[in-house]
Amino acid sequence: MSAQPIILSEQAIENIPDDRFPAGGSGGDVTWKTLLSSSKTPSDTLTSGLARCAAKGGQLKCHRHAHAEMYYVTQGRGIVTVNGKEEEVAKGSVVFIPGDSEHGVKNEDENEDLVWLYVFAADQFEDVVYRFTPEADLG
């Protein structure tokens, strides 16, 4: 497939079904919508999407993957942990996570979901192999 320009409207993004890790698994209760991935869109080089942790303690449990990752927080506030160091993030925050760094996200807001754009330098989401830290959570 040859890469092509892609424009997704707000409505098109809303219509993308949510993905999630299996219930009761080690990933936490985060949901995400993959926006760009060569397995779904005529794109290459980058994979991106929107992730969401629900208000009142939603979280993406600590994990690693070989690919570096970037977050841009678009809504809410929470805690991002990278290699054991916790940092508060809020709408407008940018986070760079080097490859193979242990990281996770937790929403501690009682009223608002935490939403962030994630970007990997990978052709497709399926290339990113999540390795969850046993018994890890962020709180």
Side-chain angles (χ1 to χ4, degrees), residues 20-40:
R20 66 182 65 241
F21 295 108
S26 59
D29 54 359
V30 62
T31 62
W32 68 91
K33 294 175 181 281
T34 301
L35 305 177
L36 300 174
S37 174
S38 66
S39 60
K40 296 180 178 194

Side-chain angles (χ1 to χ4, degrees), residues 8 15 24 49-50 52 68 72 74 81 84 89 98 110 112 114-115 121 126 129 133:
L8 299 173
N15 289 334
L50 291 171
R52 177 181 302 270
Y72 175 70
T74 63
T81 303
V89 296
E110 291 292 314
E112 186 174 27
L114 175 62
V115 180
E126 294 80 3
V129 178
T133 305

Side-chain angles (χ1 to χ4, degrees), residues 75-121:
Q75 176 184 313
R77 60 184 183 82
I79 303 291
V80 172
T81 303
V82 180
N83 292 330
K85 184 177 179 188
E86 292 186 351
E87 293 285 342
E88 290 186 17
V89 296
K91 181 179 178 178
S93 297
V94 172
V95 180
F96 173 74
I97 303 161
D100 282 319
S101 295
E102 182 182 64
H103 60 287
V105 179
K106 184 169 185 180
N107 185 352
E108 294 188 330
D109 193 290
E110 291 292 314
N111 301 305
E112 186 174 27
D113 289 356
L114 175 62
V115 180
W116 66 95
L117 173 76
Y118 62 84
V119 180
F120 295 106

Side-chain angles (χ1 to χ4, degrees), residues 8-18 33 35 50 52:
L8 299 173
S9 68
E10 182 178 8
Q11 186 63 48
I13 293 169
E14 286 179 14
N15 289 334
I16 296 172
D18 286 341
K33 294 175 181 281
L35 305 177
L50 291 171
R52 177 181 302 270

